[in-house]
Amino acid sequence: MDYMRKKPLDPTAHHSSKLKKELKTMDLILLGLGAMVGTGIFVITGTAAAKYAGPSLIISFAIAAFSCVLSALCYAEFASRVPIAGGAYSYAYTIFGELIGWITGWLVVCEYLLANASVASGWSGYVHGFLDGLGIPFPNALRASYNAENGTYVDVIAICITFIVMFVVMQGAKKALRLNNIMVIIKFALVILFLVVGVFYVKPDNWTPFAPFGMAGITTGAAIVFFAFLGFDAVSMAAEEVENPQRDIPRGIIGSLAIATILYIGVTLVLTGMVPFSNLNVKDPVAFAMRFIDQNFVAGLISVGAILTLLTVLISMMYGLTRMIYAIGRDGLLPKGLSKVDSKTKTPKNATLVIGITSAILSGLVPLENLAQLTNIVTLMAFAIIAAGIIKLRKDFGDPKINEFKVPFVPVFPIVSMLVCFYLMIQLELSTWIVFGIWLVLGLAIYFLYGYRNSELGKNKE
């Protein structure tokens, strides 16, 4: 039995794409920013500063960003040399073989499903707060996912917004990303507004003590805020819809990550300078900081803007995941119906429906608080696999061509990337590792019971 059969490296030897090529560099940068800049700035910064790192959260962000930059370089080289849909799944399939490719794809499926559901739940929380302020409260039973003790059973708003985003993504890459681009511009305006107003209220005394929880707090903070950078890999999944993937995808990945890192560090610096870090354990830290300095109008703008712009994370994540599911279905490791492309919109309609419905169920019914760290551990593992893949790519196929992106200092950078990923993984709780193991076992069961037997590559070799 050949569990390590590989796709050819030559992109022309892969399936011909039925997706429409219409995306450029700026579309990809905004796609990456749409996925990254949202929950990290509007939610995570406050709790991470209050509970883990204090003002030294800027170092936590720098560590997490360093890990992601190393991973982004690896993704960029793969994207320029293997410009096909599927992102990390397709890269691992090409270099390590089918089983490792499937496991990598399975990890990314978990990452994106949980991220989608988490963001939908968080978006619902913002909307409920807004409706409560207008005197239009929802019944308690319909406000959040199942929790009998709190009297909640289903999050209706999270389900509704997930279906709306699913419909938007089904309209085609350009239409979905046009809405994403508008929202990203609004989001940028809100962040700049916060920085411009907030910098005048910074009190340097609030940065003391700088690292109240010590180095342990900084590294734990890095493992937590790593969630804020999830999504740059969605750019690589758009490969078959990009006009010039060898050039534009590396630019999209690295450009979006660089801009997001600057924004995160800037917002964290101003936020912890405006408000004592111990006060920041709130769901809306950026708006809270404005209320703290009696800028209530600006706080209101940021709150409404957050409700609108968190949609970009949902759009980007659902877009990326549906393209990977499309690629896996096309390869036969999941049912072939998932690779069906709508003749009118040129989008993977069935894959989008399946992902939308699954995300809606998770966000509306399943309590996700205890699974948040699972999103980080599966992503870090996938990043480590891709870093190892660059070393093997160079060993088996040599250096990139002149027009292809090249990771500098191979194998040093990929090895450092793997070490940083593993270091951040061991910062996470034992319960997270247990659930991680269960997810891997489930993925292996699906592969051996279905994927291996139905693999298109296996059928072709036979």
Side-chain angles (χ1 to χ4, degrees), residues 194-385:
F194 169 77
L195 292 174
V196 169
V197 174
V199 73
F200 293 102
Y201 293 88
V202 167
K203 297 179 179 179
D205 289 347
N206 288 333
W207 291 327
T208 305
F210 181 69
F213 303 97
M215 192 62 199
I218 292 174
T219 54
T220 303
I224 298 299
V225 301
F226 184 83
F227 180 86
F229 292 97
L230 301 188
F232 75 81
D233 50 335
V235 175
S236 66
M237 296 185 195
E240 292 181 18
E241 293 164 281
V242 180
E243 291 180 359
N244 188 342
Q246 282 90 350
R247 181 196 67 191
D248 293 343
I249 293 180
R251 291 180 179 180
I253 291 172
I254 295 170
S256 60
L257 185 59
I259 294 170
T261 300
I262 293 169
L263 289 178
Y264 282 140
I265 291 176
V267 167
T268 302
L269 197 61
V270 172
L271 184 67
T272 54
M274 292 170 62
V275 183
F277 70 88
S278 57
N279 294 355
L280 288 172
N281 189 19
V282 294
K283 289 184 177 180
D284 55 345
V286 175
F288 171 80
M290 285 296 156
R291 292 195 295 270
F292 187 83
I293 59 172
D294 293 325
Q295 292 286 342
N296 293 320
F297 177 72
V298 178
L301 282 179
I302 290 174
S303 294
V304 174
I307 291 173
L308 291 174
T309 58
L310 279 176
L311 289 177
T312 64
V313 184
L314 279 173
I315 292 171
S316 301
M317 290 287 190
M318 191 174 293
Y319 171 85
L321 183 53
T322 56
R323 270 51 182 178
M324 193 182 75
I325 294 295
Y326 159 80
I328 297 175
R330 186 174 62 181
D331 292 336
L333 304 186
L334 286 175
K336 293 285 288 183
L338 294 173
S339 65
K340 184 178 180 181
V341 174
D342 185 89
S343 59
K344 182 179 179 181
T345 62
K346 299 298 181 184
T347 60
K349 182 177 180 180
N350 292 344
T352 308
L353 283 170
V354 169
I355 294 306
I357 292 169
T358 305
S359 298
I361 292 171
L362 285 173
S363 63
L365 301 176
V366 181
L368 295 169
E369 292 84 358
N370 298 327
L371 296 179
Q373 292 189 33
L374 179 60
T375 311
N376 288 355
I377 197 170
V378 294
T379 308
L380 287 164
M381 190 68 223
F383 284 0
I385 292 171

